[in-house]
Amino acid sequence: MPTPPVRPLDLTDDRTARAVHRIGLAAYAVEAELIGFDGIPALGESLAELRARPLRWLGAVGPEGAIGGFLAWEETPPGEPVRLDRLCVDPARLRRGIASLLLRHALTELFAGRVVEVTTGAANAPAVTLYERLGFVRGADFSPVPGLTMASFSRHG
């Protein structure tokens, strides 16, 4: 199977926004199961709320235009860390290297030389492994709400 190209996503396009919303809900449902916590805020996010977020979007897009996964972040001024907001892969396309592809592209093409920060559920072993494999260093775990432990990571570009 060929590697899907990575390109910016435009959430003003209805089809793209609906696909990103669907994939995000499905991916966060998988994470909720992995970490034993169903209160992940993105699980309750409406399409309108998703589109209103001040995020930049990058997607892995197949030949027929199907989005296999996406990465989103909020733009920060130079010198400030880039904070990844979400990295989601369509559960039907898991374990095909899509998350690695998106993250590697972002780290080398978009965020080179910058500090990148991300958090994930501490019990989300696939995400923890991915970040560590790509050179992120685990920082302190924290609990934003009872019943949820998050792991923080940073990578110096």
Side-chain angles (χ1 to χ4, degrees), residues 15-142:
R15 180 174 174 232
T16 300
R18 284 192 307 270
V20 165
H21 188 245
R22 177 190 57 77
I23 291 166
L25 291 176
Y28 282 115
V30 170
E31 182 175 22
E33 184 72 26
L34 285 171
I35 67 174
F37 181 80
D38 64 2
I40 297 171
L43 281 171
E45 190 174 59
S46 71
L47 178 57
E49 290 168 331
L50 175 76
R51 289 174 112 168
R53 302 279 316 271
L55 299 174
R56 306 262 321 263
W57 301 87
L58 185 69
V61 182
E64 282 95 42
I67 298 169
F70 59 84
L71 175 70
W73 69 97
E74 190 168 343
E75 199 60 49
T76 55
E80 288 188 23
V82 175
R83 290 176 192 86
L84 301 184
D85 186 80
R86 55 191 80 196
L87 173 59
C88 297
V89 174
D90 185 336
R93 293 177 171 87
L94 288 174
R95 312 262 188 285
R96 296 184 189 173
I98 292 172
S100 296
L101 172 74
L102 287 164
L103 201 48
R104 280 190 180 108
H105 178 89
L107 292 170
T108 59
E109 302 297 322
L110 304 174
F111 311 139
R114 295 188 68 186
V115 174
V116 179
E117 299 174 340
V118 65
T119 61
T120 190
N124 185 345
V128 168
T129 300
L130 171 68
Y131 295 129
E132 289 175 341
R133 185 169 32 89
L134 293 181
F136 284 79
V137 175
R138 189 165 179 166
D141 287 0
F142 63 99

